[in-house]
Coordinates of all heavy atoms in Angstrom, one line a residue:
S68 N -7.8 1.2 20.5 CA -9.0 0.6 20.0 C -9.7 -0.4 20.9 O -10.1 -0.1 22.0 CB -8.7 0.0 18.6 OG -9.8 -0.3 17.9
H69 N -9.9 -1.6 20.4 CA -10.7 -2.7 21.1 C -9.8 -3.5 22.0 O -10.2 -4.4 22.7 CB -11.3 -3.6 20.0 CG -10.2 -4.2 19.2 ND1 -9.6 -3.5 18.1 CD2 -9.6 -5.5 19.2 CE1 -8.7 -4.3 17.6 NE2 -8.7 -5.5 18.2
D288 N -16.5 -0.1 19.6 CA -15.3 -0.5 20.2 C -14.8 0.7 21.0 O -15.4 1.7 21.1 CB -14.3 -1.1 19.2 CG -13.7 0.0 18.4 OD1 -14.3 1.1 18.2 OD2 -12.6 -0.2 17.8
G289 N -13.6 0.5 21.6 CA -13.1 1.5 22.6 C -12.9 2.9 22.1 O -12.9 3.9 22.8
D290 N -12.6 3.0 20.8 CA -12.4 4.4 20.2 C -13.5 4.7 19.2 O -13.4 5.7 18.4 CB -11.0 4.5 19.6 CG -10.8 3.6 18.5 OD1 -11.4 2.5 18.4 OD2 -9.9 3.9 17.6
A291 N -14.5 3.9 19.2 CA -15.7 4.1 18.4 C -15.5 4.3 16.9 O -16.0 5.2 16.2 CB -16.5 5.3 18.9
D292 N -14.6 3.5 16.3 CA -14.4 3.5 14.9 C -15.0 2.2 14.3 O -14.9 2.0 13.1 CB -13.0 3.7 14.4 CG -12.1 2.6 14.8 OD1 -12.5 1.7 15.6 OD2 -10.9 2.6 14.3
R293 N -15.6 1.4 15.1 CA -16.4 0.3 14.5 C -17.6 0.0 15.3 O -17.7 0.3 16.5 CB -15.5 -1.0 14.4 CG -14.9 -1.4 15.7 CD -14.4 -2.8 15.5 NE -13.0 -2.9 15.3 CZ -12.3 -4.0 15.6 NH1 -12.9 -5.1 16.0 NH2 -11.0 -4.0 15.4
Ligands
ZN601 ZN1 -11.2 1.0 17.0

Side-chain angles (χ1 to χ4, degrees):
S68 188
H69 58 285
D288 73 338
D290 61 335
D292 64 350
R293 59 165 99 157

